Amino acid sequence: MKLPSPRGPVSDAVIAALVQAPHDFTAGEPDSDDDLHLTLFVLYELHYRGWDGVDDTWEWHPALLGLRARLEARFEATLRELPVPEATDDVPHALIAMTRETGGPSLSGYIRGRATREQFREFATHRSVYHLREADPHTFAIPRLAGPAKAALIEVQIDEYGGGVTHRMHQEMFKDTMTALGLDTTYGAYVDVVPWQTLANNNLMSLFGLHRRLRGALLGHLAAYEMTSTGPNRSYGNGLRRLGGDAAATRFYDEHVEADAVHEQIAAFDMCGSFCAAEPELAADVLFGARCVLTMEDRWAEYVLSRWAAGESSLRS
């Protein structure tokens, strides 16, 4: 993946440093959400597939880790301001209640019935940042769990990775959707054009995934994803069919309608329920992770819909 263009002083300093041999350097404070979240995304990607022309030993360089810790503290502080239900002995049903809350903007409803083909292409462009590495952030939790919670997470992840069959991996299925829409399927091709809200949603997963102390939040994040997937993906698939998408184009969404109807039960009860039974002191973290993703997804959808309502693109020019 090619390094993106900087969006402020901190991302500028980091990107300029990464194209050189690893060395000590300093960076100030981000001057915008764009600068903050692009910098975090660039730093997090070192733990995934890396950047073209960047020395892999940067991954654990003390200068980058110190900077990342400062930026993560700033990001997490904003997340901790979100209202979270009180800890409970019945986390699965608390998750069900949270994911059934209504009132946020219905991006899926708009895409099902009103979106133009160009707007669907924009939607897929936003989502490509995650879907081309779908499931990878949550896999960080596997070695941090044991017993039934670990088994349940692996059961979900096996489906995400297509049972070991390449063309059934959700990452690969999404490439078919992108191809049908005339989009570039290169990993990370659209990092430069998505707004900070999209990067923040991806950074949330990495923040939770790369810190063992936040393993409960990562499970809550995954559970909320799975428990709010079936209806929206049915709408996305139907919206794409309305716009002329064939079976290959909609397979990604249709697969999620079927798979996630099962995953939501596994995630809520077998994964989160078992985890909280084993580590009850982390039950609040599970609910925190779910609240974070639900709120941030709503805010992202509101941003996209507001740009479309104004007759503008939701992407950066």
Side-chain angles (χ1 to χ4, degrees), residues 46-255:
L46 295 170
H47 300 287
Y48 291 96
R49 303 188 203 178
W51 299 98
D52 294 350
V54 173
D55 191 321
D56 284 342
T57 58
W58 269 118
E59 181 181 4
W60 298 107
H61 195 282
L64 291 189
L65 295 180
L67 172 61
R68 199 187 86 188
R70 283 198 293 113
L71 300 182
E72 286 178 328
R74 180 168 168 169
F75 182 27
E76 187 174 348
T78 65
L79 298 172
R80 293 292 178 182
E81 295 174 357
L82 299 175
V84 179
E86 292 185 8
T88 172
D89 293 334
D90 190 358
V91 167
H93 284 97
L95 289 169
I96 291 171
M98 291 174 67
T99 56
R100 288 180 178 174
E101 294 173 1
T102 58
S106 180
L107 179 60
S108 62
Y110 180 89
I111 287 177
R112 181 187 64 242
R114 297 177 56 193
T116 65
R117 185 175 180 83
E118 184 56 36
Q119 288 171 337
F120 201 107
R121 291 180 81 253
E122 284 190 16
F123 167 72
T125 298
H126 286 282
R127 290 305 201 191
S128 70
V129 180
Y130 169 64
H131 286 322
L132 291 181
R133 69 178 182 198
E134 184 165 336
D136 293 349
H138 299 108
T139 299
F140 281 118
I142 291 176
R144 295 170 176 171
L145 303 177
K150 184 171 192 166
L153 174 58
I154 291 173
E155 183 176 357
V156 172
Q157 297 300 83
I158 285 173
D159 280 350
E160 300 289 337
Y161 292 124
V165 179
T166 301
H167 76 272
R168 292 179 55 200
M169 293 172 61
H170 292 180
Q171 299 174 5
E172 296 298 316
M173 287 185 184
F174 194 69
K175 289 182 181 179
D176 293 337
T177 299
M178 295 182 73
T179 297
L181 293 167
L183 295 172
D184 186 350
T185 62
T186 304
Y187 178 77
Y190 294 110
V191 170
D192 244 342
V193 300
V194 297
W196 70 264
Q197 291 90 338
T198 303
L199 297 178
N201 283 341
N202 285 271
N203 289 340
L204 181 66
M205 292 180 248
S206 297
L207 172 67
F208 292 162
L210 291 171
H211 292 273
R212 184 180 178 276
R213 68 180 176 88
L214 294 172
R215 61 193 181 279
L218 184 63
L219 296 187
H221 183 289
L222 176 57
Y225 248 26
E226 299 296 333
M227 296 169 73
T228 57
S229 173
T230 300
N233 276 294
R234 181 180 292 110
S235 293
Y236 301 146
N238 288 339
L240 187 51
R241 270 184 284 272
R242 175 179 60 81
L243 295 168
D246 60 14
T250 63
R251 184 168 68 113
F252 173 85
Y253 301 112
D254 296 338
E255 170 68 18

